[in-house]
Amino acid sequence: MQEPRAPLSTRRDFINQLPAEVLIIVFQKSLNPAQPGKGLTRLGLVCHLWRSTVESTPSLWAHINAADGIRHVRTAVGKTGEMPIELAYRAHNDYATVAVYYFLTAAMEKSQYWKSVEILSRHSPAAYPGLQSMPCPALEKLTLWCIPQTAPLPKPFKLLNGMPAPTSLKALNLCRVSVQLESLELGRLETLSLINLGPQSMEEIIRILRTSPRLLTLVLEDLVGLRSPDTDDTPPIHLQHLETLKLRLPVPITRFLLSTLHGSKLDQLTLTANFSSIPPSMLFTPSIAHWVPVFQRMVGNANRIEIGFDWSNLCSVKFGKLYYIFHVE
């Protein structure tokens, strides 16, 4: 016979007997990152102890999402104290009343504690207060995605008041946001993703890669203005920790990067290129022979090969962690 369940008040009393630090961990696990403020409000309505715990614990307020509204953003900023802050603004969520400018402005007084900033917005970079004018010394992750529009890419602008990126910055993800990379002096990155940016020089890309030996993930897609160097004497770049490489660039650029980059620990490779005027075999030349052992290891672990077709052409081949995408127009 099934034993009767304990009354709700008894179960709650049991939870309230947990050490405060354990109760805080339980609260943190219960919050939805997409709208943490809503969860904090509900927790505070349970009882006086829970409300007191929520109100007096800065770490519970440190993840701030614009989906909770500007009122919550201001409240959370005031309660975080000196805790590292994670900011998230995602334009695909339903909160049109909050503009990214006002979201960042509300949090700007604590910019020295910004740990992570993620912005997916239709607004131009001119609406990014704090990121342009403050050094943000604690920043570890920066993601700026401008949702595609028909308007041309804006002119490049400077981040962090033109100062070098903080040494804590480990992840930089930019999409359709033209940033002047030269002034950042990136050197401790573990993740670099540059997608559909305005004019970029190959010299600057090479400089970043050469000074970022800790890179684990590298994504370069649809970069405007890249050209292969006129000479073939570019020294190799050894990325000993690189695990993921994704390139979506013209074939000459892809071939140059493959001939220059060396990464013995590579575990996932995705190549996408337009072969409307040249055969796919042009991508694989003796200049990338140093990748052969890596490819053999990646392919050797494959338990199946996937081949994709569009209506008229072979469009992709995937075996193991090697993913080769053909794009023919």
PDB file of all heavy atoms in Angstrom, residues 223-237:
ATOM      1  N   LEU A 223      33.611  36.749 -45.297  1.00  0.00           N
ATOM      2  CA  LEU A 223      34.319  37.970 -44.950  1.00  0.00           C
ATOM      3  C   LEU A 223      34.610  38.762 -46.217  1.00  0.00           C
ATOM      4  O   LEU A 223      35.195  38.236 -47.172  1.00  0.00           O
ATOM      5  CB  LEU A 223      35.612  37.653 -44.213  1.00  0.00           C
ATOM      6  CG  LEU A 223      35.454  36.861 -42.907  1.00  0.00           C
ATOM      7  CD1 LEU A 223      36.813  36.652 -42.247  1.00  0.00           C
ATOM      8  CD2 LEU A 223      34.501  37.560 -41.955  1.00  0.00           C
ATOM      9  N   VAL A 224      34.223  40.023 -46.210  1.00  0.00           N
ATOM     10  CA  VAL A 224      34.353  40.872 -47.394  1.00  0.00           C
ATOM     11  C   VAL A 224      35.784  41.392 -47.516  1.00  0.00           C
ATOM     12  O   VAL A 224      36.401  41.784 -46.521  1.00  0.00           O
ATOM     13  CB  VAL A 224      33.371  42.063 -47.307  1.00  0.00           C
ATOM     14  CG1 VAL A 224      33.550  43.000 -48.503  1.00  0.00           C
ATOM     15  CG2 VAL A 224      31.938  41.565 -47.220  1.00  0.00           C
ATOM     16  N   GLY A 225      36.300  41.373 -48.720  1.00  0.00           N
ATOM     17  CA  GLY A 225      37.573  42.023 -49.000  1.00  0.00           C
ATOM     18  C   GLY A 225      38.815  41.205 -48.728  1.00  0.00           C
ATOM     19  O   GLY A 225      39.927  41.701 -48.922  1.00  0.00           O
ATOM     20  N   LEU A 226      38.675  39.968 -48.280  1.00  0.00           N
ATOM     21  CA  LEU A 226      39.860  39.152 -48.025  1.00  0.00           C
ATOM     22  C   LEU A 226      40.548  38.771 -49.333  1.00  0.00           C
ATOM     23  O   LEU A 226      39.893  38.374 -50.289  1.00  0.00           O
ATOM     24  CB  LEU A 226      39.488  37.880 -47.266  1.00  0.00           C
ATOM     25  CG  LEU A 226      39.296  37.976 -45.753  1.00  0.00           C
ATOM     26  CD1 LEU A 226      39.098  36.587 -45.177  1.00  0.00           C
ATOM     27  CD2 LEU A 226      40.464  38.672 -45.086  1.00  0.00           C
ATOM     28  N   ARG A 227      41.862  38.872 -49.343  1.00  0.00           N
ATOM     29  CA  ARG A 227      42.648  38.468 -50.505  1.00  0.00           C
ATOM     30  C   ARG A 227      43.876  37.703 -50.038  1.00  0.00           C
ATOM     31  O   ARG A 227      44.472  38.029 -49.007  1.00  0.00           O
ATOM     32  CB  ARG A 227      43.085  39.692 -51.314  1.00  0.00           C
ATOM     33  CG  ARG A 227      41.943  40.504 -51.902  1.00  0.00           C
ATOM     34  CD  ARG A 227      42.478  41.685 -52.681  1.00  0.00           C
ATOM     35  NE  ARG A 227      43.354  41.264 -53.766  1.00  0.00           N
ATOM     36  CZ  ARG A 227      44.031  42.110 -54.541  1.00  0.00           C
ATOM     37  NH1 ARG A 227      43.942  43.423 -54.335  1.00  0.00           N
ATOM     38  NH2 ARG A 227      44.800  41.653 -55.513  1.00  0.00           N
ATOM     39  N   SER A 228      44.224  36.695 -50.787  1.00  0.00           N
ATOM     40  CA  SER A 228      45.428  35.942 -50.447  1.00  0.00           C
ATOM     41  C   SER A 228      46.657  36.825 -50.647  1.00  0.00           C
ATOM     42  O   SER A 228      46.683  37.661 -51.561  1.00  0.00           O
ATOM     43  CB  SER A 228      45.547  34.698 -51.332  1.00  0.00           C
ATOM     44  OG  SER A 228      44.439  33.853 -51.163  1.00  0.00           O
ATOM     45  N   PRO A 229      47.671  36.668 -49.811  1.00  0.00           N
ATOM     46  CA  PRO A 229      48.906  37.439 -49.996  1.00  0.00           C
ATOM     47  C   PRO A 229      49.525  37.155 -51.360  1.00  0.00           C
ATOM     48  O   PRO A 229      49.356  36.069 -51.926  1.00  0.00           O
ATOM     49  CB  PRO A 229      49.801  36.940 -48.859  1.00  0.00           C
ATOM     50  CG  PRO A 229      48.860  36.404 -47.834  1.00  0.00           C
ATOM     51  CD  PRO A 229      47.713  35.833 -48.607  1.00  0.00           C
ATOM     52  N   ASP A 230      50.227  38.137 -51.877  1.00  0.00           N
ATOM     53  CA  ASP A 230      50.847  37.987 -53.191  1.00  0.00           C
ATOM     54  C   ASP A 230      52.034  37.036 -53.158  1.00  0.00           C
ATOM     55  O   ASP A 230      52.433  36.474 -54.181  1.00  0.00           O
ATOM     56  CB  ASP A 230      51.300  39.357 -53.707  1.00  0.00           C
ATOM     57  CG  ASP A 230      50.114  40.286 -53.939  1.00  0.00           C
ATOM     58  OD1 ASP A 230      49.019  39.769 -54.253  1.00  0.00           O
ATOM     59  OD2 ASP A 230      50.284  41.506 -53.776  1.00  0.00           O
ATOM     60  N   THR A 231      52.612  36.847 -51.983  1.00  0.00           N
ATOM     61  CA  THR A 231      53.773  35.971 -51.857  1.00  0.00           C
ATOM     62  C   THR A 231      53.373  34.651 -51.200  1.00  0.00           C
ATOM     63  O   THR A 231      52.339  34.554 -50.534  1.00  0.00           O
ATOM     64  CB  THR A 231      54.869  36.644 -51.009  1.00  0.00           C
ATOM     65  OG1 THR A 231      54.347  36.896 -49.698  1.00  0.00           O
ATOM     66  CG2 THR A 231      55.293  37.956 -51.638  1.00  0.00           C
ATOM     67  N   ASP A 232      54.181  33.638 -51.390  1.00  0.00           N
ATOM     68  CA  ASP A 232      53.910  32.312 -50.829  1.00  0.00           C
ATOM     69  C   ASP A 232      54.790  32.008 -49.617  1.00  0.00           C
ATOM     70  O   ASP A 232      54.914  30.855 -49.216  1.00  0.00           O
ATOM     71  CB  ASP A 232      54.154  31.234 -51.903  1.00  0.00           C
ATOM     72  CG  ASP A 232      53.197  31.373 -53.070  1.00  0.00           C
ATOM     73  OD1 ASP A 232      52.071  31.844 -52.837  1.00  0.00           O
ATOM     74  OD2 ASP A 232      53.592  31.026 -54.198  1.00  0.00           O
ATOM     75  N   ASP A 233      55.409  33.023 -49.046  1.00  0.00           N
ATOM     76  CA  ASP A 233      56.351  32.782 -47.960  1.00  0.00           C
ATOM     77  C   ASP A 233      55.772  33.120 -46.594  1.00  0.00           C
ATOM     78  O   ASP A 233      56.510  33.470 -45.666  1.00  0.00           O
ATOM     79  CB  ASP A 233      57.635  33.589 -48.188  1.00  0.00           C
ATOM     80  CG  ASP A 233      57.353  35.086 -48.302  1.00  0.00           C
ATOM     81  OD1 ASP A 233      56.164  35.463 -48.337  1.00  0.00           O
ATOM     82  OD2 ASP A 233      58.327  35.863 -48.342  1.00  0.00           O
ATOM     83  N   THR A 234      54.437  33.034 -46.440  1.00  0.00           N
ATOM     84  CA  THR A 234      53.828  33.289 -45.137  1.00  0.00           C
ATOM     85  C   THR A 234      54.222  32.178 -44.168  1.00  0.00           C
ATOM     86  O   THR A 234      53.976  31.000 -44.432  1.00  0.00           O
ATOM     87  CB  THR A 234      52.292  33.336 -45.251  1.00  0.00           C
ATOM     88  OG1 THR A 234      51.919  34.343 -46.192  1.00  0.00           O
ATOM     89  CG2 THR A 234      51.666  33.645 -43.903  1.00  0.00           C
ATOM     90  N   PRO A 235      54.833  32.515 -43.047  1.00  0.00           N
ATOM     91  CA  PRO A 235      55.238  31.476 -42.087  1.00  0.00           C
ATOM     92  C   PRO A 235      54.015  30.721 -41.557  1.00  0.00           C
ATOM     93  O   PRO A 235      52.931  31.291 -41.438  1.00  0.00           O
ATOM     94  CB  PRO A 235      55.930  32.273 -40.972  1.00  0.00           C
ATOM     95  CG  PRO A 235      56.308  33.573 -41.602  1.00  0.00           C
ATOM     96  CD  PRO A 235      55.253  33.857 -42.626  1.00  0.00           C
ATOM     97  N   PRO A 236      54.162  29.450 -41.254  1.00  0.00           N
ATOM     98  CA  PRO A 236      53.031  28.679 -40.743  1.00  0.00           C
ATOM     99  C   PRO A 236      52.568  29.184 -39.387  1.00  0.00           C
ATOM    100  O   PRO A 236      53.340  29.759 -38.620  1.00  0.00           O
ATOM    101  CB  PRO A 236      53.588  27.255 -40.647  1.00  0.00           C
ATOM    102  CG  PRO A 236      55.063  27.421 -40.558  1.00  0.00           C
ATOM    103  CD  PRO A 236      55.390  28.643 -41.361  1.00  0.00           C
ATOM    104  N   ILE A 237      51.279  28.961 -39.109  1.00  0.00           N
ATOM    105  CA  ILE A 237      50.684  29.328 -37.824  1.00  0.00           C
ATOM    106  C   ILE A 237      50.285  28.038 -37.121  1.00  0.00           C
ATOM    107  O   ILE A 237      49.447  27.285 -37.621  1.00  0.00           O
ATOM    108  CB  ILE A 237      49.450  30.233 -38.017  1.00  0.00           C
ATOM    109  CG1 ILE A 237      49.844  31.524 -38.734  1.00  0.00           C
ATOM    110  CG2 ILE A 237      48.801  30.538 -36.681  1.00  0.00           C
ATOM    111  CD1 ILE A 237      48.663  32.413 -39.063  1.00  0.00           C
TER     112      ILE A 237
END
